[in-house]
Amino acid sequence: MDKDLMIQEQAVLEDHSEANEHASKVLNRVIAKSINSSKEFLTFSGKADSTALFDLCMKLKHRRDDFILALQREVVSLGADPATEQNFAGWVHSGWLKARLAVEPDSDFVIVSEVIREEESMRMALEDALKSGDVPLHMRSALESEMAFSANLRNTMEDIKAKLKPEDYVDVHGK
């Protein structure tokens, strides 16, 4: 067998290594969660009362879409098929979210509250992926950066939520 063919054989076998399979599964879970997030930001933008909140939600949707695309490219480079759909929990939550936005009178307050929940969920998904030890080394910084962004966004939304809180709002969590 000539040298070029042996190199190609090695590359094919590396693409199907157990480490690549684990990494692909972990990244695909993050992709599915990110797809949930992107779809929620699109829903939020469609229900926002404020132009500024609409713009923010659309920017966040596009940011998540870019993140999804980068992760999908990485999964392909690992020799696997990337996730292209949200997970079941995201699908269920999306239905609940649409119902909540339809019945609650202050859409912007609800949106900000849901962004907080979404970003906490996103941060946990990224943290789980990083803790797994299966994320390729060169992708760790992208996941860490998105996790830091998510934490900052959550904190910003907490500040906005406190300022938008309707007078008749009762927080069952005591916050």
Side-chain angles (χ1 to χ4, degrees), residues 4-5 23 35 49 61 71 74 93 99 112 125 132 139 163 166:
D4 287 340
L5 215 46
I35 292 170
D49 293 329
K61 182 213 178 304
L71 292 175
E74 181 61 25
H93 185 264
V112 170
S132 75
M139 289 299 296
K163 294 171 182 148

Side-chain angles (χ1 to χ4, degrees), residues 12-151:
V12 169
L13 293 175
E14 285 176 11
D15 281 349
H16 294 283
S17 72
E18 192 173 324
N20 281 5
E21 287 180 32
H22 289 290
S24 297
K25 287 178 183 176
V26 167
L27 292 176
N28 272 333
R29 283 193 297 271
V30 174
I31 291 169
K33 174 63 193 133
S34 299
I35 292 170
N36 294 347
S37 181
S38 174
K39 289 183 180 216
E40 286 197 4
F41 283 122
L42 183 60
T43 298
F44 296 154
S45 65
K47 296 293 185 173
D49 293 329
S50 157
T51 301
L53 188 56
F54 168 85
D55 291 342
L56 175 62
C57 289
M58 287 305 293
K59 286 178 186 174
L60 293 168
K61 182 213 178 304
H62 292 302
R63 179 188 171 93
R64 283 286 147 78
D65 289 344
D66 291 343
F67 183 62
I68 292 164
L69 189 56
L71 292 175
Q72 288 173 327
R73 285 181 180 141
E74 181 61 25
V75 169
V76 168
S77 78
L78 293 170
D81 292 329
T84 58
E85 297 292 327
Q86 64 184 341
N87 59 30
F88 181 72
W91 178 79
V92 170
H93 185 264
S94 180
W96 177 84
L97 174 65
K98 289 175 183 174
R100 182 176 180 196
L101 285 166
V103 298
E104 294 215 26
D106 192 345
S107 290
D108 285 356
F109 181 77
V110 171
I111 290 167
V112 170
S113 298
E114 288 296 321
V115 169
I116 292 166
R117 187 218 49 83
E118 177 60 37
E119 291 313 300
E120 185 59 24
S121 176
M122 188 70 193
R123 184 199 57 77
M124 290 186 328
L126 292 164
E127 187 175 61
D128 288 348
L130 289 165
K131 284 181 180 178
S132 75
D134 292 324
V135 174
L137 201 52
H138 66 279
M139 289 299 296
R140 288 187 69 80
S141 64
L143 270 62
E144 288 167 349
S145 176
E146 194 65 20
M147 192 166 77
F149 178 83
S150 187

